[in-house]
Amino acid sequence: MDARNDSAAILAEHLQSNGVAVAWTDATALSASHPLNSAACEDVTADDGCYVTSYGYEVGQYGDERETADRVAYLVGARPGHESFPVDVEAISATIRRALSLGSGRPGLDALIELEEELRGHITLLLPEVRGTARQLRPNSNEAHRLKARLDGIERQTRQGLGQGTLSAHVQVHQLARDCQYLLARHTAEIQR
């Protein structure tokens, strides 16, 4: 991994701690978006010692990842620092119940698209909070490795898309509902501690 990859990975961590949703587009480029509105997004590339948006605006330099993340978070409308959106447990639970009850009927593609977007939003909200609790575990413990692998898998699942056809969309929505259920359970367990 070269310096550009390392710097971009550090930037991604700072963006996530600022509440920004991050999707890698290649080894040195990422797409940063508002956690609840994927239309508010900026593509950022690490190049020649600095970070540049897709329209050529320089947002920071290597070694200045925290400040760069603050700028990008501002551009996409996410909250800077460690503030996060409030977690509405009841709303998330209701979305999960709706998604998991789809097996009893034949949902249309529009309903599946809507549910997938809601679930991705809930996951994007919960994932940084659960990742924060993972940092409290012993770094090289089995539990920390398992949790990191599960959270990375959930993050990858949110980028899968609905695929081709209603069956594929149904499977994706069901998987996102289970992932969201897992994250919500971890979140509520931490609150009760």
Side-chain angles (χ1 to χ4, degrees):
M1 186 178 250
D2 64 21
R4 292 184 313 166
N5 295 5
D6 291 339
S7 297
I10 293 167
L11 176 62
E13 286 180 22
H14 286 295
L15 285 167
Q16 289 171 335
S17 69
N18 275 349
V20 176
V22 176
W24 288 94
T25 53
D26 71 29
T28 61
L30 53 88
S31 179
S33 62
H34 188 283
L36 302 177
N37 180 5
S38 59
C41 105
E42 285 293 335
D43 294 330
V44 179
T45 304
D47 192 30
D48 291 330
C50 59
Y51 299 102
V52 183
T53 64
S54 57
Y55 53 90
Y57 178 66
E58 185 179 316
V59 288
Q61 308 227 338
Y62 291 3
D64 200 16
E65 283 79 15
R66 183 173 306 223
E67 290 79 10
T68 303
D70 289 344
R71 286 183 201 103
V72 173
Y74 176 79
L75 290 173
V76 299
R79 294 181 178 189
H82 295 282
E83 300 173 28
S84 61
F85 293 97
V87 174
D88 185 346
V89 174
E90 291 303 315
I92 295 172
S93 296
T95 304
I96 292 169
R97 280 192 301 275
R98 280 191 0 248
L100 294 178
S101 70
L102 288 177
S104 61
R106 291 189 167 186
L109 197 53
D110 290 342
L112 292 167
I113 290 169
E114 180 182 324
L115 273 170
E116 190 249 359
E117 189 171 313
E118 284 182 51
L119 288 165
R120 274 191 305 113
H122 294 322
I123 289 170
T124 300
L125 178 65
L126 290 167
L127 203 53
E129 294 203 13
V130 175
R131 280 196 195 281
T133 64
R135 292 184 190 108
Q136 298 169 2
L137 300 173
R138 273 186 321 126
N140 292 323
S141 68
N142 286 336
E143 184 182 5
H145 287 294
R146 277 194 299 271
L147 181 57
K148 182 183 181 321
R150 178 72 192 264
L151 298 179
D152 289 347
I154 290 172
E155 187 173 1
R156 279 190 305 276
Q157 190 69 37
T158 62
R159 295 190 298 258
Q160 291 295 316
L162 292 176
Q164 301 295 321
T166 307
L167 178 60
S168 173
H170 191 283
V171 169
Q172 172 69 356
V173 166
H174 187 81
Q175 181 59 50
L176 289 177
R178 290 293 182 199
D179 290 342
C180 194
Q181 193 173 42
Y182 173 81
L183 292 172
L184 186 60
R186 292 223 39 132
H187 168 77
T188 53
E190 278 302 313
I191 289 174
Q192 294 173 354
R193 281 187 188 179

